[in-house]
């Protein structure tokens, strides 16, 4: 499935919508989008994952990248991750760096 | 390659390929660090072999049966005995790699090269192949333990070492899988790092401030060829004392291991333990490897440089000081470097607080096996700047009879598992004659063994993974290891155990009561002794292994922590909790220096005094089975006045009326715990200990122990006193 990533910023809330498969081959584009989001000076980053079919370990690592790139003051929320993805995020302990929110 | 990658490459001149080998763009790499290290645009691979005649880097796509590429190291990529190459444009997520070394096969001279094999990187930071515990692999895999590249980008937040003073530790020895694998654990991912993380509240409530984990370096749980002789079920290498890869966390202990996330999951566990005020000590096995003797598998070291990594006899056979086939050549300079690098890795990357070294006596043997008076490895570890504040604990013996308890080369840094403490306490509580004097010495921090090193040099334990559990120690006279398939010949025979009158589970209220008392007595001694107490996980709830004292291979209910016992044995759990809290509350129990039996504070009382049935009259005769000691609170650690603490243990089958030492004016004895008394959980809440009915005497029942605190009597208490 084709990977797609879109960024929009509204009132200092950056929203990244992901679709398709986030793996090693697509993580680079996700990182670039996070870079763009960080540059907006947003105080919150929302990663919408409802349309994300699959997240590999490279995708999980991207959440670490986002945390480090955005800085400690920025709230990061992953919204609508499928249960297997959310479960893996929790087991790896990444849920301490971000907020996991149901859609 | 993405435009971003190209930009990064151009930013650094060393990120520019100079060669093309097997279709990959490469350049000469850096010899250090060893292993696979992400660098701009690529990965630097570095491996040592002194005697190889040729070396290749072998690349696999993850899970593929055959290599995707094999890249011979050109001569100009070798510096000294180190082969280093940077390979650009790799997909790290789908990459597995190994090395192929060619060279002579001449065992007499120590060479066992085998160019047919793909070898695992000794410095691999992530290993796949055993990603899910117990899952049957493809046994025909040409390369079963596959090295992977790891990203060290874990978010540690503000995690810093706790640096709890060693003498303040209460160590809890446990097994990552066994702690939550039992169906009763109720955790999300049983048997994993994440599962253990979910149980941190239990550990906090128990009061321990250090967990010591049985081996978590990658090992193969399926390398045990035996089966249960009764059920026919596969036996495992459950404990994991057979390391495959020293830099890699065990993937099968991670619920996320199949995603290659084991490093993150384990780091998350360490971070959360630290947040709960609990340090993490790893049980590490540097004395031997999973390659075994000449009949064992060639995984890594044997094929890379056998004569460097292993101790060999003059005719090239493996010395076996470990009892497992081979012995790591720990004091060879290259191997010292390996061990040091490994420990630094676990401290720096995983925030580990300390290490317990399995069969550590091997670490001070010279390459020919001779014990060294000043072993360079141990000295190096003691003074290493990265390890400077980590705890170093030796199991100060090996399987070839080198027994160094009390005289392990320590450089002012090393502590030891005190095996003599274990034996003395067991013998005393069992009721053996002639042990009273030694018990007193052990409770005082074993000054006969550690004088000048401080009491914290003694890690006191009564039970450990190796041997009977606390419950079994008071329930079995002999071991019952039939399930291990070795005809009950494995495991220790000198257990100093006593079944209290009936072998195994008992329906007799008398036997059950006596066993409960005996377990409590043992815990009283352990948690009021000077030194560092270590508790075996599950002992606080009376876990049983049904008499099996060597469950190294039992991945089942025999080994797992049964969480149903938390409720069923609440009596023992609450008693243990209370004792741990008591220890934390009384610094006089945790003095760094050994007591001298003198009054250096002008308090009118020596730091420790010994008593018998008559106060101030200890009885060290052979027939005596009563030991009592008093610690004067004015001599407490840090100069903070503490209460007086009086502990009396009666291993006799008769009760004794103990005359109590008189306290300073205005103070009186209060009852904290009595293992033979009828009161909830055998103790009173901390700080609410009631005044004794009789200020000068205490009736101590048979096979019982009492803990008293002496402190000023408040007005209300005085009014209540008889």
């Amino acid at each position: 499935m084709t990977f797609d990533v879109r960024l929009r910023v509204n009132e200092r809330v950056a929203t990244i919508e992901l679709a398709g498969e986030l793996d090693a081959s697509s993580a680079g584009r996700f990182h670039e989008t996070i870079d763009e989001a960080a540059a907006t000076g947003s105080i919150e980053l929302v990663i919408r994952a409802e349309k994300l079919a699959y997240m590999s370990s490279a995708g999980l690592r991207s959440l670490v990248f986002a945390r480090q790139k955005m800085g400690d003051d920025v709230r990061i929320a992953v919204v609508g991750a499928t249960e297997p993805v959310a479960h893996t995020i929790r087991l790896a302990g990444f849920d301490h760096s971000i907020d996991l929110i149901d859609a | 390659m993405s435009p971003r990658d190209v930009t990064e490459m151009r930013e650094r001149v060393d990120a520019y390929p100079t060669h093309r080998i097997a279709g990959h763009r490469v350049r000469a790499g850096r010899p250090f660090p060893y292993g696979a290290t992400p660098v701009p645009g690529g990965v630097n691979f570095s491996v040592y072999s002194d005697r190889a005649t040729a070396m290749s880097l072998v690349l696999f796509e993850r899970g593929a049966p055959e290599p995707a590429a094999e890249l011979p190291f050109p001569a100009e990529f070798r510096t000294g005995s180190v082969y280093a190459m940077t390979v650009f444009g790799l997909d790290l997520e789908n990459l597995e790699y190994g090395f192929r070394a060619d060279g002579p096969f001449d065992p007499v001279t120590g060479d066992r090269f085998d160019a047919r094999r793909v070898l695992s990187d000794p410095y691999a930071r992530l290993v796949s192949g055993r990603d899910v515990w117990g899952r049957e692999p493809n046994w025909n895999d040409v390369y079963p333990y596959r090295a992977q590249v790891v990203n060290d980008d874990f978010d540690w937040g503000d995690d810093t070492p706790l640096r709890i003073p060693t003498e303040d530790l209460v160590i809890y020895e446990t097994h990552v899988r066994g702690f939550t694998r039992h169906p009763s654990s109720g955790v999300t991912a049983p048997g994993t790092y994440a599962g253990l993380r979910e149980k941190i509240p239990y550990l906090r409530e128990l009061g321990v401030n250090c967990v010591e984990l049985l081996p978590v370096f990658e090992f193969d749980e399926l390398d045990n060829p035996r089966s249960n002789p009764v059920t026919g079920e596969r036996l495992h290498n459950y404990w994991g004392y057979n390391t495959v890869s020293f830099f890699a966390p065990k993937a099968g202990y991670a619920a996320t291991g199949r995603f290659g996330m084991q490093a993150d999951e384990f780091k998350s566990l360490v971070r959360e333990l630290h947040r709960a005020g609990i340090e993490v000590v790893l049980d590490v096995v540097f004395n031997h490897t999973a390659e075994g003797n000449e009949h064992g598998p060639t995984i890594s070291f044997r094929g890379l440089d056998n004569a460097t990594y292993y101790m060999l006899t003059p005719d090239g056979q493996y010395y076996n000081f470990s009892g497992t086939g081979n012995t790591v050549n720990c004091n060879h300079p290259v191997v010292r470097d390996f061990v040091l690098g490994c420990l630094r890795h676990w401290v720096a990357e995983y925030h580990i607080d300390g290490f317990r070294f399995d069969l550590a006596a091997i670490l001070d043997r010279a390459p020919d096996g001779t014990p060294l008076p000043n072993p360079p490895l141990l000295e190096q570890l003691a003074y290493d700047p990265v390890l400077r504040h980590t705890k170093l604990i030796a199991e100060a013996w090996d399987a070839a009879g080198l027994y160094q308890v009390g005289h392990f080369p320590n450089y002012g840094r090393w502590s030891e598992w005190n095996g003599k403490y274990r034996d003395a306490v067991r013998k005393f509580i069992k009721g053996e004659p002639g042990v009273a004097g030694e018990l007193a010495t052990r409770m005082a921090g074993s000054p006969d063994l550690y004088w000048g090193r401080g009491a914290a040099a003694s890690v006191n334990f009564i039970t450990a993974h190796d041997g009977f559990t606390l419950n079994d120690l008071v329930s079995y006279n002999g071991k019952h290891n039939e399930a291990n398939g070795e005809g009950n010949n494995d495991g220790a025979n000198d257990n100093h155990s006593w079944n209290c009158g009936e072998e195994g589970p008992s329906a007799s209220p008398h036997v059950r009561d006596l066993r409960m008392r005996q377990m409590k007595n043992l815990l009283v001694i352990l948690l009021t002794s000077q030194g560092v107490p270590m508790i075996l996980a599950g002992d606080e709830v009376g876990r049983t292994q049904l008499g099996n004292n060597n469950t190294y291979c039992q991945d089942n209910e025999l080994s797992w922590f049964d969480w149903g016992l938390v409720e069923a044995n609440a009596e023992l759990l609450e008693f243990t909790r209370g004792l741990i809290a008591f220890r934390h509350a009384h610094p006089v129990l945790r003095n760094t220096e050994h007591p001298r039996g003198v009054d250096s504070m002008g308090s009118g009382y020596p730091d420790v005094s010994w008593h018998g049935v008559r106060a101030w009259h200890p009885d060290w005769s052979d027939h005596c089975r009563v030991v009592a000691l008093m610690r004067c609170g004015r001599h407490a650690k840090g100069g903070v006045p503490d209460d007086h603490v009086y502990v009396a243990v009666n291993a006799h089958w008769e009760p004794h009326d103990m005359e109590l030492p008189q306290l300073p004016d205005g103070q009186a004895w209060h009852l904290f715990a009595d293992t033979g008394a009828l009161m909830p959980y055998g103790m009173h809440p901390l700080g609410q200990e009631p005044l004794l009915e009789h200020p000068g005497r205490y009736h101590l029942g048979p096979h019982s122990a009492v803990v008293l605190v002496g402190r000023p009597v408040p007005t209300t208490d005085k009014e209540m006193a008889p």
Side-chain angles (χ1 to χ4, degrees):
Chain A
M1 189 185 290
T2 313
F3 177 73
D4 190 37
V5 54
R6 287 167 197 224
L7 169 69
R8 58 192 161 78
V9 181
N10 187 18
E11 293 185 349
R12 301 190 70 192
V13 176
T15 303
I16 297 176
E17 284 184 42
L18 301 174
E21 296 184 348
L22 176 57
D23 57 16
S25 63
S26 52
R29 285 178 60 201
F30 183 35
H31 286 197
E32 287 164 14
T33 312
I34 292 168
D35 277 335
E36 288 174 38
T40 64
S42 295
I43 56 172
E44 185 172 350
L45 172 64
V46 177
I47 300 169
R48 300 213 65 112
E50 296 98 324
K51 294 177 186 169
L52 198 61
Y54 170 73
M55 184 187 271
S56 74
S57 59
L60 291 165
R61 299 231 75 80
S62 298
L63 299 178
V64 179
F65 177 79
R67 174 77 278 161
Q68 293 172 352
K69 199 74 193 171
M70 299 302 290
D72 289 341
D73 297 337
V74 175
R75 176 182 181 240
I76 299 178
V78 174
V79 180
T82 60
E83 185 45 38
V85 169
H87 188 55
T88 307
I89 289 172
R90 280 192 215 101
L91 291 172
F94 291 172
D95 57 326
H96 291 263
S97 303
I98 57 161
D99 290 335
L100 269 175
I101 297 170
D102 293 336
Chain B
M1 182 181 298
S2 71
R4 174 193 170 82
D5 292 339
V6 172
T7 306
E8 280 190 0
M9 276 178 54
R10 284 179 184 157
E11 285 171 0
R12 292 181 59 141
V13 70
D14 61 349
Y16 194 77
T18 56
H19 294 59
R20 182 172 281 271
I21 301 176
H24 286 265
R25 293 169 299 108
V26 304
R27 65 177 288 128
R30 290 200 170 96
F32 293 107
Y34 290 131
T37 310
V39 295
V43 179
N44 186 69
F45 296 91
S46 172
V47 62
Y48 160 87
S49 177
D50 191 46
R51 306 264 300 158
T53 54
M55 183 75 72
S56 295
L57 170 66
V58 186
L59 304 178
F60 292 79
E61 283 200 14
R62 188 165 184 184
E66 298 297 330
E70 185 153 342
L71 289 66
F73 285 83
E76 64 269 29
F77 283 19
R78 175 177 176 169
T79 307
S81 296
V82 182
Y83 300 81
M85 182 187 323
T86 299
V87 185
F88 296 95
L90 296 172
D91 173 4
L92 300 193
E93 190 177 23
N94 290 314
L95 177 70
E96 292 169 336
Y97 74 96
F99 298 108
R100 194 189 300 279
D102 203 357
F105 184 85
D106 183 2
V108 174
T109 61
D111 290 325
R112 291 179 185 266
F113 288 96
D114 183 354
R116 293 170 303 174
R117 302 191 184 281
V118 180
L119 304 170
S120 193
D121 179 3
Y123 287 82
R125 292 171 167 211
L126 220 56
V127 169
S128 53
R130 296 294 182 270
D131 299 340
V132 178
W133 175 280
R135 179 183 285 175
E136 199 78 13
N138 171 13
W139 293 106
N140 297 317
D141 193 339
V142 296
Y143 182 33
Y145 314 111
R146 301 181 171 212
Q148 291 183 293
V149 185
V150 69
N151 286 296
D152 294 324
D153 58 357
F154 183 75
D155 179 11
W156 281 103
D158 56 2
D159 184 72
T160 51
L162 299 177
R163 292 196 190 167
I164 298 172
T166 306
E167 68 273 11
D168 290 347
L169 293 180
V170 177
I171 301 174
Y172 188 74
E173 192 204 35
T174 190
H175 184 280
V176 171
R177 179 172 169 81
F179 197 53
T180 64
R181 179 58 189 83
H182 197 279
S184 62
S185 74
V187 299
T188 313
T192 66
Y193 304 121
L196 178 50
R197 199 176 72 212
E198 286 188 53
K199 290 295 185 184
I200 289 174
Y202 172 83
L203 298 173
R204 278 195 70 158
E205 207 170 327
L206 182 59
V208 297
N209 55 11
C210 176
V211 293
E212 182 173 312
L213 301 176
L214 264 66
V216 299
F217 297 177
E218 186 63 55
F219 62 91
D220 187 350
E221 69 275 15
L222 303 174
D223 69 8
N224 187 343
R226 296 179 192 277
S227 301
N228 183 315
V230 177
T231 65
E233 288 172 323
R234 167 194 281 283
L235 293 174
H236 288 79
N237 172 3
Y238 169 75
W239 283 349
Y241 289 89
N242 213 23
T243 308
V244 164
S245 195
F246 290 77
F247 283 64
K250 171 101 189 104
Y253 282 167
T256 57
R258 62 188 186 281
F259 301 112
M261 304 298 287
Q262 58 267 39
D264 299 87
E265 189 175 319
F266 184 42
K267 288 175 181 178
S268 178
L269 168 63
V270 175
R271 182 183 62 191
E272 297 312 309
L273 282 166
H274 284 176
R275 281 187 186 172
I278 299 170
E279 293 195 338
V280 182
V281 167
L282 298 186
D283 190 339
V284 295
V285 190
F286 287 108
N287 58 76
H288 75 281
T289 77
E291 292 187 310
N293 62 15
E294 64 275 15
H295 303 300
T298 295
I299 298 170
S300 178
F301 301 107
R302 194 203 309 278
L304 282 171
D305 217 298
N306 188 56
T308 292
Y309 288 110
Y310 294 117
M311 287 188 199
L312 302 176
T313 64
D315 59 351
Q317 300 302 303
Y318 290 99
Y319 276 120
N320 185 15
F321 300 115
S322 60
T324 53
N326 64 33
T327 308
V328 173
N329 193 10
C330 288
N331 280 302
H332 185 289
V334 168
V335 186
R336 290 202 315 254
D337 194 36
F338 175 81
V339 173
L340 184 63
C342 177
L343 297 177
R344 284 175 167 175
H345 166 72
W346 287 99
V347 171
E349 295 297 336
Y350 287 84
H351 294 199
I352 295 303
D353 303 284
F355 303 95
R356 175 268 188 191
F357 295 76
D358 184 59
L359 300 184
I362 282 174
L363 274 59
D364 62 37
R365 288 183 183 270
D368 67 354
T370 314
L372 292 161
N374 190 26
L377 174 60
L378 300 184
E379 183 184 38
Q380 210 165 354
L381 298 182
Y383 293 107
D384 182 73
V386 175
L387 307 180
R388 191 68 196 114
H389 300 286
T390 57
K391 277 83 177 175
L392 302 175
I393 304 167
E395 186 187 37
W397 55 82
D398 69 20
L402 184 56
Y403 190 80
Q404 297 185 306
V405 171
H407 56 96
F408 187 78
N410 62 85
Y411 306 96
R413 285 274 283 118
W414 286 77
S415 304
E416 299 174 11
W417 266 25
N418 189 344
K420 291 185 178 179
Y421 179 96
R422 173 197 59 205
D423 296 342
V425 175
R426 286 182 175 198
K427 283 192 266 188
F428 181 82
I429 287 297
K430 181 184 175 185
E432 282 190 18
V435 197
E438 187 182 353
L439 180 78
T441 306
R442 300 288 155 253
M443 290 186 76
S446 298
D448 59 330
L449 302 174
Y450 302 111
W451 187 258
R453 290 170 61 179
S458 177
V459 174
N460 299 329
F461 69 104
I462 297 167
T463 56
H465 67 276
D466 198 357
F468 278 144
T469 65
L470 192 68
N471 191 346
D472 290 356
L473 187 64
V474 298
S475 304
Y476 294 89
N477 283 346
K479 65 185 182 186
H480 297 269
N481 297 359
E482 292 77 10
N484 298 350
E486 298 182 46
N488 204 30
N489 290 315
D490 61 308
N493 294 318
D494 53 343
N495 297 291
H496 310 297
S497 62
W498 176 42
N499 66 15
C500 295
E502 198 175 331
E503 190 76 348
S506 173
S508 157
H510 168 73
V511 172
R512 292 164 71 95
D513 286 351
L514 178 55
R515 286 176 179 172
M516 176 61 79
R517 233 164 40 241
Q518 290 286 70
M519 286 191 281
K520 288 181 173 180
N521 295 339
L522 289 158
L523 288 165
V524 164
I525 293 174
L526 179 66
L527 287 158
T528 60
S529 292
Q530 248 183 292
V532 181
M534 185 181 83
I535 299 167
L536 171 65
D539 276 356
E540 74 275 20
V541 292
R543 192 175 71 86
T544 178
Q545 293 176 171
L546 300 179
N548 191 320
N549 75 353
N550 187 32
T551 55
Y552 75 100
C553 54
Q554 300 293 338
D555 178 34
N556 50 44
E557 282 84 351
L558 221 49
S559 299
W560 301 338
F561 190 118
D562 178 356
W563 289 87
L565 296 173
V566 169
E567 201 169 312
N569 283 343
E571 169 80 23
L572 189 60
L573 175 59
E574 291 303 323
F575 188 80
T576 312
R577 276 182 189 153
L579 276 176
I580 294 172
F582 186 82
R583 183 177 182 84
H584 288 315
H586 289 284
V588 75
L589 300 174
R590 296 178 273 115
N591 279 342
T592 51
E593 300 302 320
H594 289 104
R596 291 186 294 160
V598 298
D599 178 15
S600 58
M601 299 290 292
S603 65
Y605 292 82
D607 45 9
V608 67
S609 52
W610 301 98
H611 310 271
V613 171
R614 288 179 59 204
W616 303 100
H617 290 278
D619 179 357
W620 306 128
S621 62
D622 274 3
H623 67 270
C624 176
R625 292 181 174 86
V626 177
V627 168
L629 79 164
M630 177 175 70
R631 291 189 175 82
C632 168
R634 286 284 303 279
H635 295 262
K637 173 187 170 184
V640 180
D642 192 1
D643 297 331
H644 286 64
V645 174
Y646 174 89
V647 179
V649 190
N650 177 20
H652 199 202
W653 46 89
E654 298 287 344
H656 290 282
D657 279 312
M658 306 295 291
E659 182 191 13
L660 302 177
Q662 196 169 357
L663 287 165
D665 285 348
Q667 298 201 20
W669 288 113
H670 298 67
L671 176 63
F672 171 62
D674 181 344
T675 63
L678 281 176
M679 52 186 167
Y681 307 124
M683 60 178 39
H684 292 288
L686 201 63
Q688 300 173 39
E689 300 90 348
L691 200 62
L692 287 191
E693 280 185 29
H694 191 295
R697 310 200 69 82
Y698 193 85
H699 181 76
L700 187 56
H703 297 296
S704 294
V706 65
V707 181
L708 308 177
V709 287
R711 59 164 181 259
V713 185
T715 312
T716 49
D717 275 359
K718 278 180 184 164
E719 287 166 359
M720 290 168 63

